[in-house]
Amino acid sequence: MVGIPVKALLAEKGSRVLYMGNEAIARGALEAGVCYFAAYPGTPSTEILESVAEVAEDVGVIAEWSVNEKVAYESAYAAAIAGVRSLTAMKHVGVNVAADILVSSGYSGTKAGFLVVSADDPSAHSSQNEQDNRWYGYLAHIPVVEPSSVREAYKLVKVALGLSEKYQQPVMFRTTTRVSHSRQYVELEDNIPITRVCRGVFDKDLTRWVLIPAHARLMKERALKVWRSIEEADWGPPLVEVLNPGKRKAIIASGLAFAYVSESLERLGAWSEVTVLKLNLTVPLPVKPVLNIAGEAEEILVVEELDPVVETNVRSVLGKHGVRARVLGKELIPESGELSTDRVLPGVAKFLGIEYTPPPPLKVEEQAMVPPRPPVMCPGCPHRMTFYVLKIAANKLKLRNVVYTGDIGCYTLGYQKPFETQMTCFEMGGSIGIAHGISKVVEDPVVAVIGDSTFFHAGIPGSVNIVYNSGRAMIVVLDNYTTAMTGHQPHPGTGLSATGSRAPVVEIADVLRSVGFRVYVINPLRIRESIETVVRAFQDYLNGEKVAVVSRMRCSLEAYRLSRETGIMLPVYAIDESKCTACMACVNLVACPAIVVPEGAKKPVILEDMCLGCGLCAHVCPFKAIYVKRPGGEGWEKLYSERFVEGAG
């Protein structure tokens, strides 16, 4: 085994490396000569671009966090039509944002290999839905490749890029959370080309690249010709594989579902009883292997995660060719939620006519009592402070029925008590558009709450729309200097690029002013001052002005990191038990996880190792029972307030 460097993505050929699925995708793409990577962060896709960005300067590739998925797709696709292998990555709902260019790219095709990684999220672990993006393959006439494991993801990225180049068509590489975030040892097949030159030549083919209606009709025919060629090709491994042919029963398993089918057959001791068609190319459905197994099998079970995409098309192919094999699928396999062997095995057993009784659950003599841990904003979170400021300012003006529209981010947790400042949440940037529509039809004040990265992603058009269409909504942008929810990636307002180098700062306040808003900027660390400012903002809003508030304070986790790097200590607060009356204002109004009421106690305490010194609890305590136990180091406020902190790495 070759020694593995600190940057595991740069391990040499022959190394055996434990990769996360997203890291394996990044490594495979780098080996295959991908030169341009563009993405927008979103779980479960984020680590692909993060992994590449860590080594981008070492290997001479371009790695960019784009402002949204549409721009990421456009950027990477543009490089591909200029002859440079490219990849864009996004979570499943991000493909919705990129759908416009995705469908058009399916018409025009590509020159160099081009992959769009769609990281789907069955069971919606960190998403607002669990849509199945294989349907986009049919909508856009682009192939979809699905790996069944981390190791296979590494290998198939290279195969998929070759497929893209052979047919000059974009390819969707569909993973799921389980593949993206699992780990598996990967034997590295090749070295990464070092110091490549990311240069191409743009071929000015107007008919192909300018999709006016006359050209689009021609390009649609091009796309359909490619589609039929892929459908009718004689596919074999690694994209299509027939295991144990010639049986009267057959299972078609796509992507990760193959792993669950394989383990189910092992547990049932039934591998010898069934033919298995393993599909890693699922869109378009490879016709010949399906017809081959259907010609021998009387019954076919289709096992796939989420929608009956393969099942629907198997039924269509067999019906078109007059094949009478009976097709089963979602009658036996769950259609929603993440699959597992335990969820697949009963359906496989029933299909094979094998009696199966699930084993009884394991009995645990003494089960540890794990306290419930609902999602909660971190100690010191600036969003908590901003929500408090908003509510107090509204109360001062006796605004009792404010409608707060919300968005995607850590601040979505503001829907909970005591804040209740997120009353809608649908998609990235939606808070502003929703607020505008509500403001047109209700009399109550309407406030759109959106994060900084989300504002750049999709909030600017909605802001312009409010001005243009005379909307009544007030906008509040929570600027914590990072894309916190997905792991602290930079965005245009941070002054940093994906690789960590300095970049121009795009000021959110300047953007809002430029389109017609009166902008108030607050630092919620200064609570009283912020309340006074937001009161003025509400007054201007009630007087009919276009108003926006930018709340600017660093994410507390980043402030804590800076504290460790610079040696500047943050303050720590404590509760003076002699002054505390157990009124619970600090508990009920702040909802900070650092403030707890120990079992059997009547008064709260502050967990000093969790306190990050924001001081909100001290502000709300009516009896001044909360005090600074350990003062912050000189200049500690700048850790929360300044965009760049001297001495930080």
Short mmCIF file of all heavy atoms in Angstrom, two decimals, residues 516-557:
data_model
loop_
_atom_site.label_atom_id
_atom_site.label_comp_id
_atom_site.label_asym_id
_atom_site.label_seq_id
_atom_site.Cartn_x
_atom_site.Cartn_y
_atom_site.Cartn_z
N GLY A 516 -33.57 50.19 -5.31
CA GLY A 516 -34.61 51.08 -4.82
C GLY A 516 -35.03 50.93 -3.38
O GLY A 516 -36.04 51.53 -2.97
N PHE A 517 -34.31 50.16 -2.58
CA PHE A 517 -34.68 49.98 -1.17
C PHE A 517 -33.94 50.99 -0.28
O PHE A 517 -32.78 51.31 -0.53
CB PHE A 517 -34.35 48.57 -0.69
CG PHE A 517 -35.30 47.52 -1.16
CD1 PHE A 517 -35.11 46.89 -2.39
CD2 PHE A 517 -36.41 47.16 -0.40
CE1 PHE A 517 -35.99 45.92 -2.84
CE2 PHE A 517 -37.29 46.19 -0.83
CZ PHE A 517 -37.08 45.57 -2.06
N ARG A 518 -34.64 51.45 0.77
CA ARG A 518 -33.95 52.11 1.87
C ARG A 518 -33.43 51.01 2.77
O ARG A 518 -34.22 50.20 3.28
CB ARG A 518 -34.88 53.04 2.63
CG ARG A 518 -34.25 53.61 3.90
CD ARG A 518 -35.12 54.64 4.57
NE ARG A 518 -35.10 55.89 3.80
CZ ARG A 518 -35.65 57.03 4.23
NH1 ARG A 518 -36.26 57.07 5.40
NH2 ARG A 518 -35.61 58.11 3.48
N VAL A 519 -32.14 50.95 2.97
CA VAL A 519 -31.52 49.83 3.68
C VAL A 519 -31.01 50.26 5.05
O VAL A 519 -30.30 51.26 5.18
CB VAL A 519 -30.35 49.23 2.85
CG1 VAL A 519 -29.73 48.04 3.59
CG2 VAL A 519 -30.84 48.79 1.47
N TYR A 520 -31.39 49.48 6.05
CA TYR A 520 -30.87 49.65 7.40
C TYR A 520 -29.95 48.47 7.70
O TYR A 520 -30.34 47.32 7.49
CB TYR A 520 -32.00 49.69 8.42
CG TYR A 520 -32.86 50.93 8.34
CD1 TYR A 520 -33.96 50.98 7.49
CD2 TYR A 520 -32.57 52.05 9.12
CE1 TYR A 520 -34.75 52.12 7.41
CE2 TYR A 520 -33.36 53.19 9.05
CZ TYR A 520 -34.45 53.22 8.20
OH TYR A 520 -35.22 54.35 8.13
N VAL A 521 -28.76 48.75 8.19
CA VAL A 521 -27.81 47.69 8.54
C VAL A 521 -27.68 47.63 10.06
O VAL A 521 -27.45 48.66 10.70
CB VAL A 521 -26.43 47.94 7.90
CG1 VAL A 521 -25.45 46.84 8.30
CG2 VAL A 521 -26.55 48.01 6.38
N ILE A 522 -27.85 46.45 10.63
CA ILE A 522 -27.72 46.28 12.07
C ILE A 522 -26.68 45.22 12.38
O ILE A 522 -26.38 44.35 11.55
CB ILE A 522 -29.06 45.89 12.74
CG1 ILE A 522 -29.52 44.49 12.27
CG2 ILE A 522 -30.13 46.94 12.48
CD1 ILE A 522 -30.71 43.94 13.05
N ASN A 523 -26.13 45.30 13.58
CA ASN A 523 -25.31 44.24 14.15
C ASN A 523 -26.06 43.76 15.39
O ASN A 523 -26.07 44.44 16.41
CB ASN A 523 -23.93 44.77 14.53
CG ASN A 523 -23.07 43.70 15.19
OD1 ASN A 523 -23.53 42.60 15.48
ND2 ASN A 523 -21.81 44.03 15.45
N PRO A 524 -26.72 42.61 15.32
CA PRO A 524 -27.57 42.19 16.44
C PRO A 524 -26.82 41.94 17.74
O PRO A 524 -27.43 41.77 18.79
CB PRO A 524 -28.24 40.92 15.91
CG PRO A 524 -27.33 40.42 14.85
CD PRO A 524 -26.73 41.65 14.22
N LEU A 525 -25.48 41.90 17.66
CA LEU A 525 -24.71 41.80 18.89
C LEU A 525 -24.96 43.04 19.77
O LEU A 525 -24.87 42.96 20.99
CB LEU A 525 -23.22 41.68 18.54
CG LEU A 525 -22.27 41.18 19.63
CD1 LEU A 525 -22.61 39.76 20.05
CD2 LEU A 525 -20.83 41.25 19.14
N ARG A 526 -25.26 44.16 19.11
CA ARG A 526 -25.62 45.39 19.82
C ARG A 526 -27.15 45.45 19.86
O ARG A 526 -27.78 46.07 19.00
CB ARG A 526 -25.00 46.59 19.13
CG ARG A 526 -23.48 46.48 19.00
CD ARG A 526 -22.87 47.71 18.37
NE ARG A 526 -21.42 47.52 18.24
CZ ARG A 526 -20.79 47.31 17.09
NH1 ARG A 526 -21.47 47.28 15.96
NH2 ARG A 526 -19.49 47.15 17.05
N ILE A 527 -27.72 44.82 20.86
CA ILE A 527 -29.15 44.52 20.84
C ILE A 527 -30.01 45.78 20.89
O ILE A 527 -30.91 45.96 20.06
CB ILE A 527 -29.50 43.57 22.00
CG1 ILE A 527 -28.69 42.27 21.86
CG2 ILE A 527 -30.99 43.25 22.00
CD1 ILE A 527 -28.75 41.36 23.07
N ARG A 528 -29.76 46.65 21.85
CA ARG A 528 -30.61 47.83 22.00
C ARG A 528 -30.55 48.72 20.76
O ARG A 528 -31.58 49.20 20.26
CB ARG A 528 -30.20 48.62 23.24
CG ARG A 528 -30.59 47.95 24.54
CD ARG A 528 -30.26 48.82 25.76
NE ARG A 528 -30.71 48.19 26.99
CZ ARG A 528 -30.03 47.27 27.66
NH1 ARG A 528 -28.85 46.87 27.20
NH2 ARG A 528 -30.53 46.75 28.77
N GLU A 529 -29.35 48.94 20.28
CA GLU A 529 -29.17 49.75 19.07
C GLU A 529 -29.92 49.13 17.89
O GLU A 529 -30.54 49.83 17.08
CB GLU A 529 -27.68 49.87 18.78
CG GLU A 529 -27.33 50.63 17.53
CD GLU A 529 -25.83 50.59 17.26
OE1 GLU A 529 -25.04 50.81 18.21
OE2 GLU A 529 -25.45 50.33 16.10
N SER A 530 -29.85 47.81 17.78
CA SER A 530 -30.51 47.11 16.68
C SER A 530 -32.03 47.24 16.77
O SER A 530 -32.71 47.43 15.76
CB SER A 530 -30.11 45.63 16.66
OG SER A 530 -28.72 45.48 16.42
N ILE A 531 -32.57 47.12 17.99
CA ILE A 531 -34.02 47.27 18.17
C ILE A 531 -34.47 48.66 17.72
O ILE A 531 -35.47 48.81 17.00
CB ILE A 531 -34.41 46.99 19.63
CG1 ILE A 531 -34.18 45.51 19.97
CG2 ILE A 531 -35.88 47.38 19.88
CD1 ILE A 531 -34.33 45.19 21.45
N GLU A 532 -33.74 49.68 18.13
CA GLU A 532 -34.09 51.05 17.75
C GLU A 532 -34.06 51.22 16.23
O GLU A 532 -34.94 51.86 15.64
CB GLU A 532 -33.12 52.03 18.40
CG GLU A 532 -33.25 52.11 19.93
CD GLU A 532 -32.13 52.93 20.55
OE1 GLU A 532 -31.28 53.46 19.78
OE2 GLU A 532 -32.10 53.05 21.79
N THR A 533 -33.06 50.63 15.60
CA THR A 533 -32.95 50.74 14.14
C THR A 533 -34.09 50.03 13.44
O THR A 533 -34.67 50.56 12.48
CB THR A 533 -31.60 50.16 13.67
OG1 THR A 533 -30.53 50.86 14.30
CG2 THR A 533 -31.45 50.29 12.16
N VAL A 534 -34.43 48.84 13.90
CA VAL A 534 -35.52 48.09 13.26
C VAL A 534 -36.87 48.76 13.50
O VAL A 534 -37.75 48.72 12.64
CB VAL A 534 -35.51 46.62 13.73
CG1 VAL A 534 -36.72 45.86 13.18
CG2 VAL A 534 -34.23 45.93 13.28
N VAL A 535 -37.04 49.42 14.64
CA VAL A 535 -38.26 50.20 14.87
C VAL A 535 -38.38 51.28 13.78
O VAL A 535 -39.45 51.48 13.19
CB VAL A 535 -38.26 50.82 16.28
CG1 VAL A 535 -39.34 51.91 16.38
CG2 VAL A 535 -38.51 49.75 17.33
N ARG A 536 -37.28 51.97 13.49
CA ARG A 536 -37.31 53.00 12.45
C ARG A 536 -37.60 52.37 11.08
O ARG A 536 -38.34 52.94 10.27
CB ARG A 536 -35.98 53.75 12.40
CG ARG A 536 -35.72 54.62 13.63
CD ARG A 536 -34.64 55.67 13.34
NE ARG A 536 -33.38 55.07 12.92
CZ ARG A 536 -32.43 54.66 13.77
NH1 ARG A 536 -32.61 54.76 15.08
NH2 ARG A 536 -31.30 54.14 13.31
N ALA A 537 -37.01 51.20 10.85
CA ALA A 537 -37.27 50.52 9.58
C ALA A 537 -38.74 50.16 9.44
O ALA A 537 -39.35 50.37 8.37
CB ALA A 537 -36.40 49.25 9.49
N PHE A 538 -39.34 49.63 10.51
CA PHE A 538 -40.77 49.31 10.48
C PHE A 538 -41.60 50.57 10.24
O PHE A 538 -42.59 50.55 9.49
CB PHE A 538 -41.19 48.65 11.79
CG PHE A 538 -41.15 47.15 11.77
CD1 PHE A 538 -40.43 46.45 12.73
CD2 PHE A 538 -41.83 46.42 10.81
CE1 PHE A 538 -40.39 45.06 12.73
CE2 PHE A 538 -41.81 45.03 10.80
CZ PHE A 538 -41.08 44.34 11.76
N GLN A 539 -41.23 51.68 10.87
CA GLN A 539 -41.99 52.92 10.70
C GLN A 539 -41.95 53.39 9.25
O GLN A 539 -42.98 53.78 8.68
CB GLN A 539 -41.43 54.00 11.64
CG GLN A 539 -41.77 53.76 13.11
CD GLN A 539 -41.03 54.70 14.03
OE1 GLN A 539 -39.93 55.18 13.72
NE2 GLN A 539 -41.62 54.96 15.21
N ASP A 540 -40.77 53.34 8.64
CA ASP A 540 -40.67 53.71 7.22
C ASP A 540 -41.49 52.76 6.36
O ASP A 540 -42.16 53.18 5.40
CB ASP A 540 -39.21 53.68 6.76
CG ASP A 540 -38.41 54.85 7.30
OD1 ASP A 540 -39.02 55.83 7.78
OD2 ASP A 540 -37.16 54.78 7.25
N TYR A 541 -41.44 51.49 6.70
CA TYR A 541 -42.22 50.49 5.95
C TYR A 541 -43.71 50.79 6.05
O TYR A 541 -44.44 50.76 5.05
CB TYR A 541 -41.90 49.09 6.49
CG TYR A 541 -42.89 48.02 6.09
CD1 TYR A 541 -42.90 47.50 4.80
CD2 TYR A 541 -43.81 47.52 7.01
CE1 TYR A 541 -43.80 46.51 4.44
CE2 TYR A 541 -44.71 46.54 6.66
CZ TYR A 541 -44.71 46.04 5.37
OH TYR A 541 -45.61 45.08 5.01
N LEU A 542 -44.18 51.09 7.26
CA LEU A 542 -45.60 51.38 7.46
C LEU A 542 -46.02 52.66 6.74
O LEU A 542 -47.20 52.84 6.41
CB LEU A 542 -45.91 51.48 8.96
CG LEU A 542 -45.73 50.18 9.76
CD1 LEU A 542 -45.84 50.45 11.25
CD2 LEU A 542 -46.74 49.13 9.31
N ASN A 543 -45.04 53.53 6.49
CA ASN A 543 -45.31 54.77 5.76
C ASN A 543 -45.25 54.58 4.25
O ASN A 543 -45.35 55.56 3.49
CB ASN A 543 -44.33 55.86 6.19
CG ASN A 543 -44.62 56.36 7.59
OD1 ASN A 543 -45.77 56.34 8.06
ND2 ASN A 543 -43.58 56.82 8.28
N GLY A 544 -45.06 53.35 3.82
CA GLY A 544 -45.13 53.05 2.40
C GLY A 544 -43.81 53.00 1.66
O GLY A 544 -43.78 52.84 0.43
N GLU A 545 -42.68 53.12 2.38
CA GLU A 545 -41.38 53.06 1.71
C GLU A 545 -40.95 51.62 1.46
O GLU A 545 -41.40 50.69 2.14
CB GLU A 545 -40.32 53.79 2.55
CG GLU A 545 -40.56 55.29 2.67
CD GLU A 545 -39.33 56.00 3.20
OE1 GLU A 545 -38.22 55.68 2.73
OE2 GLU A 545 -39.49 56.86 4.07
N LYS A 546 -40.07 51.45 0.47
CA LYS A 546 -39.45 50.15 0.21
C LYS A 546 -38.28 50.00 1.17
O LYS A 546 -37.29 50.74 1.07
CB LYS A 546 -38.97 50.04 -1.23
CG LYS A 546 -40.09 50.15 -2.26
CD LYS A 546 -41.02 48.95 -2.18
CE LYS A 546 -42.12 49.07 -3.23
NZ LYS A 546 -43.14 50.10 -2.88
N VAL A 547 -38.38 49.05 2.11
CA VAL A 547 -37.42 48.95 3.21
C VAL A 547 -36.79 47.56 3.24
O VAL A 547 -37.48 46.55 3.04
CB VAL A 547 -38.11 49.24 4.57
CG1 VAL A 547 -37.13 49.03 5.72
CG2 VAL A 547 -38.64 50.67 4.59
N ALA A 548 -35.50 47.52 3.51
CA ALA A 548 -34.79 46.26 3.75
C ALA A 548 -33.87 46.44 4.94
O ALA A 548 -33.33 47.53 5.18
CB ALA A 548 -33.98 45.85 2.52
N VAL A 549 -33.71 45.38 5.71
CA VAL A 549 -32.79 45.36 6.86
C VAL A 549 -31.74 44.28 6.59
O VAL A 549 -32.09 43.14 6.26
CB VAL A 549 -33.53 45.06 8.17
CG1 VAL A 549 -32.53 44.92 9.32
CG2 VAL A 549 -34.56 46.14 8.47
N VAL A 550 -30.49 44.63 6.70
CA VAL A 550 -29.40 43.64 6.61
C VAL A 550 -28.83 43.47 8.01
O VAL A 550 -28.29 44.41 8.60
CB VAL A 550 -28.30 44.10 5.63
CG1 VAL A 550 -27.16 43.07 5.62
CG2 VAL A 550 -28.87 44.28 4.23
N SER A 551 -28.99 42.26 8.56
CA SER A 551 -28.47 41.95 9.89
C SER A 551 -27.13 41.26 9.72
O SER A 551 -27.06 40.13 9.22
CB SER A 551 -29.45 41.04 10.64
OG SER A 551 -28.94 40.73 11.92
N ARG A 552 -26.07 41.94 10.11
CA ARG A 552 -24.72 41.49 9.78
C ARG A 552 -23.98 41.07 11.05
O ARG A 552 -23.59 41.89 11.88
CB ARG A 552 -23.98 42.63 9.08
CG ARG A 552 -22.69 42.22 8.41
CD ARG A 552 -22.07 43.41 7.71
NE ARG A 552 -22.82 43.81 6.53
CZ ARG A 552 -22.73 45.00 5.95
NH1 ARG A 552 -21.95 45.94 6.48
NH2 ARG A 552 -23.42 45.27 4.87
N MET A 553 -23.78 39.76 11.21
CA MET A 553 -23.04 39.22 12.35
C MET A 553 -22.60 37.81 12.01
O MET A 553 -23.40 36.99 11.52
CB MET A 553 -23.91 39.21 13.62
CG MET A 553 -23.27 38.58 14.83
SD MET A 553 -24.41 38.62 16.25
CE MET A 553 -23.64 37.40 17.34
N ARG A 554 -21.35 37.49 12.27
CA ARG A 554 -20.78 36.21 11.85
C ARG A 554 -21.44 35.04 12.55
O ARG A 554 -21.82 35.11 13.73
CB ARG A 554 -19.27 36.19 12.11
CG ARG A 554 -18.58 34.89 11.74
CD ARG A 554 -17.08 34.95 11.86
NE ARG A 554 -16.49 35.52 10.65
CZ ARG A 554 -15.98 36.74 10.56
NH1 ARG A 554 -15.96 37.53 11.63
NH2 ARG A 554 -15.47 37.18 9.43
N CYS A 555 -21.57 33.93 11.83
CA CYS A 555 -22.01 32.65 12.40
C CYS A 555 -21.19 32.35 13.66
O CYS A 555 -19.96 32.47 13.66
CB CYS A 555 -21.82 31.55 11.37
SG CYS A 555 -21.98 29.87 12.01
N SER A 556 -21.86 31.96 14.73
CA SER A 556 -21.16 31.77 16.01
C SER A 556 -20.13 30.63 15.94
O SER A 556 -19.11 30.68 16.63
CB SER A 556 -22.17 31.51 17.13
OG SER A 556 -22.96 30.37 16.85
N LEU A 557 -20.39 29.61 15.11
CA LEU A 557 -19.40 28.53 14.98
C LEU A 557 -18.13 29.05 14.32
O LEU A 557 -17.02 28.65 14.69
CB LEU A 557 -19.98 27.38 14.17
CG LEU A 557 -21.17 26.64 14.79
CD1 LEU A 557 -21.57 25.46 13.91
CD2 LEU A 557 -20.84 26.15 16.20
#
